Amino acid sequence: AGAASLLLEVQKTRTDVLLSFFALRSSYEKKRQLWSSILDENVNCVMPVTPYRSFPASEVQISKCQRTIMGVDSMIADAASMHVLLHSLVDRSRFPNGKVEFRYTLVAEEAVVSGNQMMARWSMSTTNAIKLGGKKEVKKMGMLCAKFNSAHKIVSIELMFDVMAFMLQLKQSVGANAFTIIPNTVQTCTGSFGKTPMVLTLADRPYTIVQVNEGWENMTGWKAEDVVGKESCKILQGAQTDRSAIGEQMASICFQRPVFTVLTNYTSDGKKFRNFVSLYPLSTDSKITHYLGLTLHLEWLDENEKDKKEKAPESSSSATTSTTRTIKTKTTKIIKTEGKETGE
């Protein structure tokens, strides 16, 4: 009876650890100490290759068609990648400030525990993609196999799921005719990206621009010959560029993570616009050397402000106030490990 009770207690503790792991992924928690409270410093995570979102090329084992994420920092970067992906499901023309939320479910009742290992079924699904303009919610289901150390921290975890089925759902949710493949190396970052404004910069200061396409030239008013090898995207900043947004963006770049950001930018002749852009790290010979910026949506602010003034000349407050969708951030609770409270 005592052994059975101990086994149940171990299973409950490890279930809580896995739930905390999924909670950190779904909330994109950036505090490293929270991640390291449930993950071993040398943790590794094995999953299928996911071409629909950003990941380092160095993680890929081509022969097995899988990738291995190594270490706590890389786990945080992978969570960032998932959130950047789901940002692309939002119809920015209707919900410019929308944020897709998602949740994980762990089927703990059917979990199998053997020694330091635990196997269980899991699922992930978005909860508000349709409300933000998506055609459907997206969901993936799979199995996991996790190994724990004596402190009940995750040493390794393998996540198994159907990549092609999830890619099909992503395509259906945005109403696209083809799959979107996110490049992860400079060599695979080819083509003009159609009408989507694209800029390629170095990954280190001063982040010099090395390539732009016609869409970026049309959006910014800057010609390739005026900026390539000479300028950084700082030329797009101006008086109303949000410095805190720039700070958050640069923090992600410093940690070599993908990031989605919304910036108030200016064209070469001073026209103001909101730039909804996703930034992806690209590698050369397994080292992050460049960043790719793709504009998902843009709004010309000067024209919008002019329209507002024309529609409501008697109400200055209505001319300057816009309705935004408020997203509540849920507090992630981290379980106790090694007998100490790790935080909330």
Side-chain angles (χ1 to χ4, degrees):
S5 176
L6 179 62
L7 183 62
L8 287 174
E9 182 64 26
V10 168
Q11 181 172 341
K12 181 181 182 304
T13 300
R14 292 177 178 176
T15 297
D16 287 342
V17 170
L18 289 171
L19 289 173
S20 293
F21 168 69
F22 282 138
L24 291 177
R25 281 181 67 86
S26 61
S27 65
Y28 182 28
E29 176 56 62
K30 299 177 185 178
K31 294 179 181 178
R32 192 182 191 279
Q33 64 268 31
L34 296 183
W35 288 85
S36 60
S37 71
I38 60 168
L39 301 178
D40 184 84
E41 281 298 317
N42 298 313
V43 64
N44 71 79
C45 176
V46 176
M47 68 173 65
V49 172
T50 52
Y52 48 81
R53 64 184 180 93
S54 176
F55 60 89
S58 58
E59 294 179 350
V60 178
Q61 293 85 52
I62 298 177
S63 61
K64 298 181 180 180
C65 198
Q66 67 183 29
R67 60 191 186 93
T68 302
I69 306 164
M70 301 290 293
V72 174
D73 294 313
S74 295
M75 295 290 276
I76 300 174
D78 191 69
S81 172
M82 176 62 76
H83 283 260
V84 172
L85 163 69
L86 295 178
H87 275 302
S88 67
L89 302 182
V90 179
D91 182 350
R92 297 292 168 188
S93 63
R94 296 165 55 198
F95 307 98
N97 300 301
K99 178 182 178 182
V100 171
E101 297 180 338
F102 63 100
R103 66 183 177 211
Y104 287 91
T105 301
L106 181 69
V107 186
E109 297 80 6
E110 301 175 7
V112 177
V113 177
S114 177
N116 66 342
Q117 300 185 64
M118 181 173 178
M119 294 184 64
R121 291 191 296 117
W122 63 276
S123 65
M124 185 281 286
S125 59
T126 57
T127 60
N128 63 340
I130 293 177
K131 293 180 180 179
L132 297 176
K135 301 291 190 297
K136 61 177 292 184
E137 303 294 340
V138 297
K139 181 176 183 178
K140 59 182 174 181
M141 298 176 289
M143 291 287 297
L144 68 80
C145 179
K147 294 182 180 180
F148 300 82
N149 61 19
S150 58
H152 301 300
K153 290 186 178 184
I154 299 173
V155 175
S156 67
I157 182 169
E158 182 174 4
L159 300 173
M160 296 159 276
F161 56 93
D162 189 333
V163 171
M164 291 304 298
F166 190 60
M167 287 182 68
L168 180 60
Q169 291 184 61
L170 292 171
K171 187 178 78 167
Q172 293 171 343
S173 183
V174 298
N177 296 321
F179 293 117
T180 298
I181 306 299
I182 301 301
N184 58 4
T185 67
V186 176
Q187 291 82 355
T188 57
C189 185
T190 59
S192 63
F193 292 91
K195 296 181 180 180
T196 300
M198 179 277 290
V199 58
L200 186 66
T201 75
L202 295 179
D204 297 315
R205 294 183 185 277
Y207 311 108
T208 305
I209 296 172
V210 298
Q211 183 182 342
V212 299
N213 68 352
E214 184 178 353
W216 191 89
E217 290 180 316
N218 293 336
M219 178 180 71
T220 66
W222 291 96
K223 294 297 182 183
E225 57 265 27
D226 297 324
V227 297
V228 171
K230 304 174 184 177
E231 302 285 354
S232 72
C233 288
K234 193 172 182 179
I235 59 174
L236 304 181
Q237 298 177 24
Q240 295 186 28
T241 300
D242 188 343
R243 302 301 161 184
S244 63
I246 293 289
E248 292 180 10
Q249 171 190 305
M250 297 313 300
S252 294
I253 291 175
C254 286
F255 284 106
Q256 299 184 339
R257 301 170 186 165
V259 60
F260 171 81
T261 188
V262 182
L263 299 172
T264 298
N265 285 156
Y266 294 79
T267 65
S268 59
D269 59 358
K271 292 181 180 177
K272 187 170 55 175
F273 64 97
R274 288 183 81 196
N275 191 2
F276 297 75
V277 60
S278 292
L279 303 172
Y280 304 105
L282 303 178
S283 62
T284 304
D285 297 329
S286 299
K287 180 183 178 182
I288 301 299
T289 57
H290 294 73
Y291 257 85
L292 170 69
L294 298 176
T295 293
L296 307 181
H297 178 66
L298 69 96
E299 294 177 353
W300 295 104
L301 297 179
D302 292 332
E303 294 179 4
N304 290 343
E305 290 171 3
K306 180 180 177 182
D307 290 342
K308 288 177 183 178
K309 290 177 182 178
E310 291 177 349
K311 292 178 181 178
E314 297 179 0
S315 175
S316 59
S317 60
S318 63
T320 57
T321 303
S322 60
T323 303
T324 60
R325 179 178 295 269
T326 301
I327 305 297
K328 294 184 178 179
T329 302
K330 298 180 180 178
T331 300
T332 302
K333 183 177 181 180
I334 307 303
I335 58 94
K336 294 181 179 180
T337 60
E338 302 179 296
K340 298 179 180 180
E341 187 67 31
T342 60
E344 294 189 347

